[in-house]
Amino acid sequence: MANLDYLEHSIPVAPLKICALKGCEALAGTIDQYLVQFRRDLLLRNPDKADIYGYSQKSFLIGSECPRFGSGEAKGRILESVRGVDLFILVDVCNYSITYKVCGLENHMSPDDHYQDLKRIIAAAIGKAHRINVIMPFLYEGRQHKRTNRESLDCAQALQELAGMGVSNILTFDAHDPRVMNAIPLHGFDNFFPTYQFLKALLKCVPDLKIDNNHLMIISPDEGAMSRAVYFSNILGVDMGMFYKRRDYSTIVNGKNPIVAHEFLGDSVEGKNVVIIDDMISSGESMLEVAKQLKARGARDVFVCTTFGLFTDGLSKFDEYYEKGYIARVITTDLSYRTPELLSRPWYEPAVMGKYLASIIDTLNHDVSVDKVRDTTYKLNKLLASHR
């Protein structure tokens, strides 16, 4: 763990506990294993920390549940004491695999259901826990971040609601528009990026990848992903290009204006491997269209890196494009639910985030700057040096 040097002489704000809502158990288990190891390593460097109550434990996980009545109503319960602890609540609002029954009918949990369960657990802990932190990798309603005409501002409203309930810090990954933090200017809001994990996963599945201007190029699929692509290309020292979406603003289909065409801005991609980087794959329609256009322009292999892989329209189109050679690999993090079918696909590669999240939690619990965790430039350069 790279943060041992400055965590060694700092003191936690309170004993650490992690509460994983339903659907997050596997990720929480990985985080817990790393935290246990981190604390053991810190005790070896500073044995005096053994005197701090609850500093090193066999597990930092606590149990919780949200049982439902036959009508579909629910309540939140925490199964052990949280008085005086620094509580981190982990929620995956996109995990639709969790079901519950209403009047004998089976319902799949929506983001709204997960968000309500989150509030129930916060309500059960508030007034007892020393501090409450919410880890919401996929930001609830993050795509509804700005108002056009008469529309609700769901993400801003949710953030204000959590802040009003007493949540001290909200942690998310690759927010669709991080400016939504302006809704809670007096509360903690941290937005992290999995850039290092993307590169690590990419080099794992393509060990002989040549990283230079003659062989690699970073592509932003739209204007919104520009900042991610600029950072990635600068770190790798390669060129970048960008597509922009030409939309039909006279029509609305499935709540959005349909894309008429993708226009490309940038140098030639002919003969180069290209990496498309974005925050999410929803249906994947625009991402696949970009990959197809890049292949038509002479690109060699197309790699897709996105933080969240939702695949709302299934995997068949990705299977087809893989077989046709339009895409070589799709890399997503394990921060949101992934179906067993996705995990079995030959074109899929996971970017594992458990260790990174454990490092973030440990740093916040010690109440020291998270900038050293967020800034992955050093780790990226070290990984590149070992690869080259």
Side-chain angles (χ1 to χ4, degrees), residues 211-243:
I211 303 177
D212 57 48
N213 257 332
N214 297 322
H215 299 91
L216 186 66
M217 194 167 175
I218 306 301
I219 302 296
S220 171
D222 54 35
E223 310 92 300
M226 272 290 291
S227 60
R228 304 177 188 90
V230 167
Y231 175 70
F232 207 24
S233 63
N234 284 337
I235 286 292
L236 300 181
V238 300
D239 290 334
M240 68 154 287
M242 184 196 83
F243 283 87

Side-chain angles (χ1 to χ4, degrees), residues 17 57 76 114 117 131 184 196 211 221 242 253 256 277 296 307 331:
K17 291 293 181 182
Q57 299 185 39
H114 284 290
D117 278 358
R131 185 174 70 173
I184 49 170
Y196 172 75
I211 303 177
M242 184 196 83
V253 179
K256 57 186 179 181
I277 188 165
T307 307
I331 298 172

Side-chain angles (χ1 to χ4, degrees), residues 33-304:
Q33 290 174 10
Y34 279 113
L35 280 171
V36 170
Q37 186 59 51
F38 289 168
R39 293 296 170 92
R40 288 175 181 168
D41 293 342
L42 282 165
L43 283 178
L44 291 176
R45 294 170 65 110
N46 188 350
D48 292 341
K49 285 184 177 287
D51 297 331
I52 301 175
Y53 173 72
Y55 187 78
S56 179
Q57 299 185 39
K58 293 182 179 179
S59 175
F60 295 97
L61 295 173
I62 62 170
S64 68
E65 62 181 10
C66 290
R68 290 183 179 268
F69 302 100
S71 61
E73 299 167 292
K75 61 181 178 181
R77 292 178 56 198
I78 298 177
L79 304 180
E80 59 186 90
S81 174
V82 293
R83 188 170 297 279
V85 308
D86 190 17
L87 183 63
F88 288 81
I89 305 175
L90 181 63
V91 58
D92 175 14
V93 298
C94 292
N95 193 332
Y96 61 89
S97 69
I98 308 301
T99 60
Y100 64 94
K101 288 191 175 182
V102 180
C103 299
L105 302 174
E106 188 173 63
N107 278 15
H108 286 262
M109 288 186 69
S110 70
D112 293 340
D113 293 319
H114 284 290
Y115 177 63
Q116 291 300 324
D117 278 358
L118 170 65
K119 291 194 295 181
R120 292 179 177 112
I121 296 300
I122 293 171
I126 203 69
K128 289 87 175 174
H130 176 78
R131 185 174 70 173
I132 295 179
N133 313 273
V134 170
I135 303 175
M136 188 186 294
F138 187 96
L139 190 61
Y140 173 70
E141 294 290 357
R143 300 171 78 177
Q144 185 55 28
H145 60 280
K146 62 182 178 181
R147 174 173 285 155
T148 304
N149 298 323
R150 290 177 293 277
E151 293 181 339
S152 58
L153 289 172
D154 296 53
C155 187
Q157 185 176 340
L159 292 178
Q160 290 181 351
E161 192 171 15
L162 294 178
M165 292 185 73
V167 174
S168 299
N169 298 297
I170 298 172
L171 314 178
T172 191
F173 280 82
D174 213 343
H176 196 65
D177 188 341
R179 290 176 296 182
V180 75
M181 72 176 70
N182 294 333
I184 49 170
L186 302 182
H187 288 76
F189 183 98
D190 287 290
N191 184 39
F192 298 93
F193 295 92
T195 315
Y196 172 75
Q197 287 76 17
F198 280 159
L199 183 58
K200 192 173 180 181
L202 183 60
L203 295 180
K204 178 184 176 182
C205 61
V206 192
D208 58 346
L209 185 68
K210 294 182 179 180
I211 303 177
D212 57 48
N213 257 332
N214 297 322
H215 299 91
L216 186 66
M217 194 167 175
I218 306 301
I219 302 296
S220 171
D222 54 35
E223 310 92 300
M226 272 290 291
S227 60
R228 304 177 188 90
V230 167
Y231 175 70
F232 207 24
S233 63
N234 284 337
I235 286 292
L236 300 181
V238 300
D239 290 334
M240 68 154 287
M242 184 196 83
F243 283 87
Y244 69 91
K245 299 172 182 175
R246 197 147 49 84
R247 294 181 180 271
D248 179 6
Y249 287 99
S250 64
T251 309
I252 296 178
V253 179
N254 293 329
K256 57 186 179 181
N257 303 108
I259 298 168
V260 176
H262 290 84
E263 306 291 351
F264 181 67
L265 299 173
D267 291 336
S268 172
V269 298
E270 189 169 355
K272 297 180 181 179
N273 292 319
V274 294
V275 178
I276 307 173
I277 188 165
D278 205 357
D279 60 337
M280 74 171 74
I281 292 173
S282 183
S283 65
E285 180 183 339
S286 60
M287 186 71 74
L288 291 173
E289 178 61 28
V290 166
K292 187 176 180 179
Q293 287 208 28
L294 287 168
K295 290 295 288 186
R297 292 171 183 272
R300 187 181 174 189
D301 286 330
V302 177
F303 304 98
V304 176

